[in-house]
Amino acid sequence: MGPFLALALALPLAAGCGGQDARDGSAAGAGPAADPGNPAAWVLPLQAYLPDPEQEELLFRAVEQAKSECMKESGFDYRPAEPLPDMGPDTLTDLRYGIHDRDVAATYGYKPAGDMRAYQKETRRLMEASRLGTEEEAAMTGRQDGSVVGAELSEGGCGGEAYRRIYGSMEPVSTLAMDLSNQAYAKAQQAEPVRNVFRSWSACMADSGYTYDEPMDAPNDPAFGAPTAGPEEVATALADLKCRDTYQVAEVWFEEESALQRQLGEERAQELKEAGRVLEKALKAAAHTTGSGS
């Protein structure tokens, strides 16, 4: 799942992947049953309130198309932003609890599979291509200075108009589901079952000559900051995977976070339900704008 250039406006909810089957206000069930050995396939309860990758792309394309149409009316040839290269986690739970694919780790260490240098180069190209001139920026944002001459701009410029067209207003779209998800993720790390497996993992790594207190310390090691993985990073990642598998780090962490998400979802059920309605309306408007159907 690649990130997207958002220019004047970002997507309403942070990237997530899941169904839309919990709009009744109750967090859906979760579990790794679909593929117990692949954390990327696991589903957390609050994912039911987040757009899946196809929906995120639809929303992005719709906003960009609406911007382009508005800019054309203002006399500008605005080309909708292109998606950034696809590199990184494929789902919300992919790499959420750390690496899990031995084949990838054996080549890329803690990095996602792919050419990091090529990814960075293409990202820079697309970001450069998205730059707007002074008058274009004024038309897109609705902000003018003394050097810009033109017609009166609506609130938020073409970016604001596109946002209103898809989301119905300029009111900030709720990020509650992702906020609660992030809260549960952090809180789960302090739960005793998780602390226990972290300690076991740390001792296991020490037996192999690596000193880390927690599993996410290893991929964040500054020593592994190069674009490509060296022998030491690969060796560390493979030892990490062995210890993770031995003590079921991802499974325990996932179960604790799932329980916390269910609790938080029940406590904020009505707000989540309302946020779900806003998202559903936006998806319908996006489908209409892009001609994708309902």
Side-chain angles (χ1 to χ4, degrees):
M1 173 176 54
F4 296 97
L5 293 175
L7 298 183
L9 296 168
L11 284 173
L13 296 171
C17 310
Q20 302 298 318
D21 57 350
R23 300 290 185 241
D24 61 352
S26 60
D35 189 350
N38 181 15
W42 300 352
V43 179
L44 288 160
L46 291 175
Q47 285 181 245
Y49 299 97
L50 297 170
D52 63 30
E54 291 76 18
Q55 291 166 337
E56 284 185 335
E57 183 176 359
L58 172 62
L59 290 166
F60 171 80
R61 287 192 293 108
V63 169
E64 286 299 309
Q65 183 172 322
K67 287 181 190 177
S68 180
E69 293 170 1
C70 174
M71 290 289 280
K72 184 176 181 180
E73 292 173 358
S74 299
F76 298 100
D77 183 20
Y78 172 77
R79 297 182 61 185
E82 299 178 52
L84 293 180
D86 186 0
M87 189 172 187
D90 292 324
T91 69
L92 185 66
T93 52
D94 186 19
L95 303 181
R96 188 175 184 85
Y97 312 107
I99 56 174
H100 55 82
D101 189 313
R102 185 167 298 277
D103 291 338
V104 172
T107 301
Y108 300 98
Y110 287 106
K111 297 171 178 60
D115 187 333
M116 182 63 73
R117 287 193 175 91
Y119 169 80
Q120 293 172 339
K121 181 178 180 180
E122 179 65 4
T123 297
R124 286 194 294 270
R125 184 190 73 79
L126 291 172
M127 294 299 290
E128 183 63 31
S130 73
R131 293 184 183 277
L132 300 177
T134 302
E135 292 194 2
E136 290 176 309
E137 184 73 22
M140 180 64 77
T141 64
R143 294 191 297 271
Q144 290 180 288
D145 59 32
S147 65
V148 178
V149 179
E152 182 178 350
L153 301 174
S154 60
E155 179 186 2
C158 284
E161 182 173 319
Y163 195 82
R164 287 189 293 272
R165 179 172 170 181
I166 303 304
Y167 297 109
S169 74
M170 284 291 288
E171 292 295 318
V173 177
S174 173
T175 60
L176 178 61
M178 186 55 70
D179 293 343
L180 294 178
S181 176
N182 292 339
Q183 181 181 334
Y185 175 81
K187 192 173 181 179
Q189 295 177 63
Q190 304 309 315
E192 193 57 30
V194 177
R195 300 310 304 171
N196 286 337
V197 295
F198 280 8
R199 285 189 285 267
S200 296
W201 174 89
S202 180
C204 177
M205 289 292 282
D207 289 341
S208 297
Y210 304 103
T211 305
Y212 297 105
D213 292 332
E214 300 182 359
M216 298 309 285
D217 291 344
N220 292 322
D221 191 331
F224 305 147
T228 58
E232 181 63 20
E233 180 177 345
V234 169
T236 305
L238 292 175
D240 182 352
L241 274 175
K242 180 179 179 181
C243 292
R244 287 172 177 274
D245 292 344
T246 299
Y247 294 101
Q248 296 189 302
V249 171
E251 289 82 354
V252 173
W253 194 349
F254 172 82
E255 289 301 328
E256 290 297 322
E257 183 179 6
S258 294
L260 287 165
Q261 284 203 12
R262 281 191 289 270
Q263 178 184 341
L264 292 170
E266 290 169 2
E267 293 172 355
R268 308 291 291 276
Q270 191 57 41
E271 295 166 84
L272 288 167
K273 183 178 180 181
E274 180 55 36
R277 291 196 190 101
V278 173
L279 178 58
E280 291 288 4
K281 289 181 180 178
L283 289 169
K284 289 180 180 179
H288 178 75
T289 296
T290 61
S292 301
S294 56

